[in-house]
Amino acid sequence: MTTETISSTPSPAGLPHRRRWITVLIWIMMVPFAAWAVLRAAGWDAGFRWIQLAAFTPYVAAASVVALLLALSLRRWTAGVAGLVIMGAFAWAVLPRAFADPAPAPGGTALRVLASNLARGAADTKTIMDLVVRLKPDILTLQELTPEAAERLEKAGIRKALPHMVGEPTPGVWGSGVYARFPLRADQAALNYGNFRQSVAVAPERNLQIVSVHPCAPRFDYKAACWAQGLRALPRAGTGAEPYRILAGDFNATLDHAIMRELLATGYRDAADVTGQGLIPTWPQQGWEPVPGVTLDHVFADARIAVRSFGVHRVPGTDHKSVFAELELPRAAR
């Protein structure tokens, strides 16, 4: 009686079939990364789901390395070349935010800007005031500023540090305001799309226009339109004798949204990007499992204004970190 031994080693005839399936699986893995890179590069901001997903582009960029390494490790060279192209497209889009731009020589007038989303007015007033005392901002922009929050800030002494204010405190998420050390006037009615009021103020002595930015959040399909309208309504960057312009607050968008890149292309610079800190998440402050943090809060300054530093600060009671930028106006702007 004989015993037959069954080998688990694939037969030579089965090896090509197995290799083909591995190649197919690698290409299937590549497709979502390629589609994401193409949509991002093409500037497609349609559909509220894509608007939401685009904010997570830096994480997708990091994950694309896995597909590339898998292709190279299995010697699928064509797929590896495709992976390199995809990763290169992501690197071109994302990596510059992690490197500081050359700084111009000092010689202007310092201007410090602090921005904070108060989460329906629930942000801790003491922490906001501590930041005002410690950072000494010349301008403070607040979003989701409610009448109750404005009253608490008044009682805490906000007007001693920043005596001038333009804004529309409003119940819920819709209010905003601009506080400053120097005189302000309302330049126009607040930019109002979807009931989100983005306060616009002018400092005549500084030839400066400031907007407390807060377009509607694209949480639902019907919000996508007012999100785009609110961002497109923001003033373009100033040139020549036009006022210097600063946009600060919760943009509900990242630099991976085409509408933000279009705004920057008018002549703004993002303070976080300029200082090499453009990948620091600002929302959600604590992180929501399984949602990682993204960079929704920004300080945009037009190109005539130098950017010296940038930082983020935690504030209890809100899901957004505060953002702070040290800027420098040309000397003639005082």
Side-chain angles (χ1 to χ4, degrees):
M1 185 174 181
T2 60
T3 302
E4 294 183 0
T5 302
I6 300 175
S7 173
S8 62
T9 304
S11 66
L15 285 175
H17 182 72
R18 179 182 174 188
R19 291 193 185 104
R20 281 196 298 272
W21 271 110
I22 291 173
T23 301
V24 168
L25 289 173
I26 290 173
W27 280 107
I28 289 173
M29 183 181 294
M30 291 279 186
V31 167
F33 295 110
W36 197 296
V38 168
L39 289 175
R40 198 268 181 202
W44 189 69
D45 271 349
F48 87 106
R49 286 299 183 198
W50 172 249
I51 292 170
Q52 293 174 335
L53 289 172
F56 299 93
T57 295
Y59 297 101
V60 177
S64 70
V65 178
V66 175
L68 169 63
L69 293 177
L70 183 62
L72 294 178
S73 66
L74 294 175
R75 300 186 181 184
R76 296 321 192 259
W77 306 122
T78 303
V81 170
L84 279 172
V85 172
I86 294 167
M87 192 182 72
F90 279 126
W92 181 268
V94 172
L95 279 184
R97 292 173 231 173
F99 297 94
D101 296 347
T109 303
L111 184 74
R112 294 171 293 273
V113 179
L114 179 65
S116 187
N117 181 316
L118 302 183
R120 297 176 181 262
D124 183 63
T125 302
K126 181 180 183 302
T127 302
I128 296 291
M129 289 304 302
D130 287 346
L131 288 174
V132 168
V133 170
R134 178 162 57 88
L135 300 175
K136 296 180 172 58
D138 302 292
I139 297 167
L140 169 66
T141 72
L142 298 176
Q143 300 80 52
E144 302 193 21
L145 176 64
T146 63
E148 295 78 12
E151 184 178 352
R152 292 198 307 271
L153 286 166
E154 294 275 350
K155 290 180 179 178
I158 188 71
R159 292 303 187 102
K160 292 180 181 178
L162 301 166
H164 306 279
M165 189 267 194
V166 166
E168 292 192 30
T170 308
V173 301
W174 299 285
S176 71
V178 179
Y179 293 81
R181 293 186 185 276
F182 35 74
L184 295 175
R185 62 175 171 80
D187 185 42
Q188 61 186 72
L191 305 174
N192 187 344
Y193 293 90
N195 289 325
F196 280 71
R197 297 162 177 83
Q198 304 182 93
S199 298
V200 184
V202 163
E205 294 178 2
R206 307 294 177 102
N207 191 32
L208 180 65
Q209 185 185 55
I210 310 108
V211 181
S212 179
V213 179
H214 193 213
C216 24
R219 296 180 59 193
F220 307 102
D221 190 22
Y222 71 92
K223 291 286 190 181
C226 70
W227 172 81
Q229 290 167 341
L231 287 171
R232 291 198 174 101
L234 295 171
R236 310 297 92 174
T239 59
E242 291 181 328
Y244 300 97
R245 292 198 172 104
I246 294 172
L247 313 177
D250 171 14
F251 286 64
N252 275 318
T254 76
L255 301 191
D256 292 300
H257 290 101
I259 199 167
M260 290 283 277
R261 301 196 299 277
E262 291 167 5
L263 184 59
L264 285 171
T266 70
Y268 284 111
R269 296 193 302 159
D270 175 50
D273 180 29
V274 169
T275 57
Q277 300 182 76
L279 296 176
I280 297 176
T282 65
W283 176 92
Q285 183 168 225
Q286 305 299 334
W288 292 352
E289 294 182 4
V291 180
V294 294
T295 309
L296 299 184
D297 303 84
H298 308 265
V299 176
F300 279 15
D302 77 41
R304 299 169 294 173
I305 303 171
V307 178
R308 294 302 178 195
S309 68
F310 177 84
V312 300
H313 302 272
R314 290 186 177 276
V315 177
T318 174
D319 52 345
H320 286 259
K321 292 178 183 176
S322 293
V323 293
F324 175 73
E326 290 187 282
L327 309 175
E328 193 174 86
L329 295 173
R331 183 65 69 182
R334 293 166 46 199

